[in-house]
Amino acid sequence: GQNIDQPTEMTATEGAIVQINCTYQTSGFNGLFWYQQHAGEAPTFLSYNVLDGLEEKGRFSSFLSRSKGYSYLLLKELQMKDSASYLCAVLDSNYQLIWGAGTKLIIKP
Amino acid sequence: IAGITQAPTSQILAAGRRMTLRCTQDMRHNAMYWYRQDLGLGLRLIHYSNTAGTTGKGEVPDGYSVSRANTDDFPLTLASAVPSQTSVYFCASSDSGTGGNEQFFGPGTRLTVL
């Protein structure tokens, strides 16, 4: 079966750094996405990785290791507005997105 | 219209009733998708369409049908609603159904079936 695992909830302090991990087992791999979803709102795109390595985009970075079936999202200089759920999703061999349940990130002052 | 819209925003429906959730995008995207999101579960694909005139089944298609008569619209119909279809429904679109194209999401429809 296909499976995406990520922690259910994490807590971090404003101004700090947090790393949200995602491991996956899917039928084929055509890339991995990270989305942000604030409570009661729609998911919005953060990053896409298809090759191994680190992609940096401002305060957010995303890493991929295809051999390990592993990715992480790194958030630096945390702000209160970063409190949200972070969704990991893998594009499988049929180009369908398989979604993790999301990690709820709580930022404390 | 800017982006992708859904209607209604929320709905309470009696079990057994028929309901159509509407989705419209103005980005001329080829691919469109319907997901449901339930607490503790990831987004689950119900149906998709890679281009106007074609549709496909996702992970949880039972009890739902879709049509794609044109590029912009992708309605989702519940023929006879059941309480297990209580969920938040998101419509999404992307430039292509193949390849690493980001999906853009509508604001969602919160559906309660009693």
Side-chain angles (χ1 to χ4, degrees):
Chain A
Q2 308 207 88
N3 197 47
I4 310 282
D5 284 319
Q6 44 181 140
T8 302
E9 187 174 296
M10 299 181 70
T11 302
T13 303
E14 189 177 15
I17 299 173
V18 71
Q19 177 175 311
I20 302 174
N21 296 324
C22 171
T23 58
Y24 62 88
Q25 289 180 307
T26 57
S27 57
F29 180 84
N30 282 299
L32 186 144
F33 290 82
W34 284 97
Y35 278 77
Q36 180 189 60
Q37 185 177 26
H38 285 100
E41 298 183 8
T44 55
F45 171 81
L46 287 177
S47 67
Y48 170 67
N49 294 66
V50 66
L51 299 176
D52 290 351
L54 187 68
E55 296 271 348
E56 297 186 75
K57 193 184 293 186
R59 293 189 299 114
F60 293 9
S61 301
S62 56
F63 172 84
L64 174 67
S65 169
R66 289 172 296 171
S67 63
K68 295 182 179 178
Y70 168 71
S71 172
Y72 68 72
L73 181 69
L74 191 72
L75 291 74
K76 303 176 185 176
E77 302 169 15
L78 286 170
Q79 302 175 9
M80 297 303 293
K81 67 178 182 180
D82 297 329
S83 292
S85 288
Y86 292 86
L87 314 181
C88 173
V90 171
L91 201 60
D92 73 6
S93 56
N94 294 318
Y95 291 97
Q96 290 188 5
L97 274 178
I98 309 300
W99 296 81
T103 298
K104 182 178 181 180
L105 178 63
I106 300 168
I107 310 295
K108 296 186 175 180
Chain B
I1 298 176
I4 185 165
T5 60
Q6 294 183 233
T9 302
S10 65
Q11 182 77 43
I12 298 174
L13 190 66
R17 297 297 295 268
R18 181 184 179 90
M19 175 75 191
T20 294
L21 308 185
R22 300 184 299 279
C23 175
T24 299
Q25 54 103 359
D26 67 352
M27 297 175 282
R28 306 305 294 171
H29 283 169
N30 287 306
M32 297 187 75
Y33 314 85
W34 274 106
Y35 292 96
R36 60 178 289 172
Q37 187 174 40
D38 302 291
L39 198 63
L41 300 176
L43 288 159
R44 291 183 291 168
L45 183 66
I46 304 170
H47 285 287
Y48 66 94
S49 168
N50 284 334
T51 189
T54 69
T55 62
K57 294 182 179 180
E59 179 187 355
V60 288
D62 294 343
Y64 307 95
S65 64
V66 291
S67 61
R68 186 88 184 278
N70 57 61
T71 298
D72 299 345
D73 301 300
F74 191 44
L76 176 74
T77 298
L78 289 67
S80 178
V82 294
S84 62
Q85 292 178 311
T86 294
S87 188
V88 179
Y89 291 85
F90 286 104
C91 180
S93 70
S94 66
D95 188 41
S96 169
T98 59
N101 299 286
E102 72 173 276
Q103 293 184 12
F104 295 83
F105 284 79
T109 294
R110 185 173 297 274
L111 182 67
T112 303
V113 183
L114 301 176

